[in-house]
Amino acid sequence: MKKCLITYSSITGNTEKVALRFKETFVKRGWQCDIFKIRKQADDILRPPFDVRTYDFVCAGSGLRAHLPYNEILNMLRGFRTGFDPRIVLRNRDETIPYIKEPIPEIPANRSAKIDHKKIVLGPDSPKSVVFITYAGYEFGPKEALPAVQLLALELEHIGFQSMGDFCCPGKYVDAPMLKTFHGDIRDRPNEKDLLKAQMFIEEKLDEIADIPK
């Protein structure tokens, strides 16, 4: 059975609604599907209860913070990319994850904190991925989600997952009509129509996988 992981960060619950509809769709199509919410906690970021590289398909999602994905899901993915605590690389740049208080481990003597940069080639046999974002987009609408979409997809491609696209939809940020904003009143978003689009998006990607020559 093909294995899928859906991992996401969600503060308002908007991204979680999309994640759950994604899972329903994978399960209906016969996939084994694990789902995990990444919180601002050491265990989630430093010790997630899964190995992302053991999956055939990964969906990564987030809300937006300053047009970028939440740093908790980025740091979790970067831990898989480097193979060690993401704070080690951050420390080398005089940065940190302030809400994780436990000591930063030392790198083993036979390891380096430097990333081994090399060309990555992804192809038909590579595991697949999609990213999903919920956003308010008050000023410019969908384009406000583009930096987050591109960054999340790039993080997954660095781990070896070929990107198959992205799904974005508006999500409520404040409980007010905000009628002068790009999307207007989004207090009910993501709504059932948005979630049906999310379902159709995943179904389309699974059909594409089925059509890839073996």
Side-chain angles (χ1 to χ4, degrees):
M1 182 180 291
K2 294 285 188 178
K3 292 177 58 181
C4 168
L5 171 69
I6 300 171
T7 184
Y8 66 97
S9 294
S10 181
I11 294 176
T12 61
N14 297 329
T15 308
E16 187 163 65
K17 292 178 182 178
V18 177
L20 292 172
R21 183 59 63 94
F22 276 13
K23 181 179 181 181
E24 290 178 11
T25 308
F26 274 99
V27 171
K28 286 180 181 178
R29 294 289 292 263
W31 284 62
Q32 175 186 329
C33 191
D34 298 329
I35 187 167
F36 191 80
K37 179 179 180 179
I38 304 297
R39 302 163 296 176
K40 295 174 73 170
Q41 296 184 10
D43 282 343
D44 292 6
I45 297 167
L46 306 182
R47 295 173 289 275
F50 53 80
D51 183 344
V52 69
R53 294 158 298 193
T54 65
Y55 290 89
D56 305 292
F57 203 124
V58 170
C59 307
S62 178
L64 294 189
R65 183 181 292 123
H67 310 306
L68 295 175
Y70 297 154
N71 60 25
E72 47 265 39
I73 191 163
L74 287 176
N75 285 317
M76 181 274 293
L77 292 173
R78 287 166 179 167
F80 282 108
R81 178 183 176 187
T82 62
F84 46 74
D85 191 318
R87 295 176 298 164
I88 292 172
V89 175
L90 290 173
R91 180 177 59 190
N92 292 343
R93 302 199 298 255
D94 294 323
E95 300 172 10
T96 187
I97 306 176
Y99 49 83
I100 297 181
K101 305 300 183 183
E102 62 184 66
I104 301 176
E106 295 298 325
I107 286 286
N110 61 344
R111 294 289 306 274
S112 170
K114 294 182 179 179
I115 297 174
D116 180 21
H117 294 289
K118 59 185 177 181
K119 183 177 181 180
I120 297 175
V121 179
L122 304 174
D125 295 332
S126 301
K128 310 304 179 188
S129 68
V130 298
V131 300
F132 57 105
I133 297 291
T134 57
Y135 66 95
Y138 290 142
E139 289 77 27
F140 297 105
K143 70 185 295 182
E144 295 193 28
L146 290 179
V149 161
Q150 294 172 346
L151 182 54
L152 264 186
L154 189 60
E155 291 297 336
L156 286 168
E157 291 200 313
H158 272 102
I159 306 172
F161 287 86
Q162 184 180 42
S163 174
M164 296 191 70
D166 56 79
F167 177 82
C168 300
C169 73
K172 181 185 81 168
Y173 181 64
V174 296
D175 195 21
M178 304 291 284
L179 297 178
K180 295 183 179 181
T181 60
F182 186 94
H183 288 296
D185 190 347
I186 57 172
R187 286 176 294 173
D188 69 332
R189 310 280 298 271
N191 55 29
E192 182 56 32
K193 185 176 180 180
D194 295 316
L195 298 179
L196 181 58
K197 289 180 179 179
Q199 175 182 328
M200 294 172 64
F201 169 77
I202 291 299
E203 289 174 343
E204 178 183 276
K205 300 309 171 187
L206 294 181
D207 287 343
E208 288 178 20
I209 290 175
D211 291 338
I212 295 175
K214 305 299 182 184

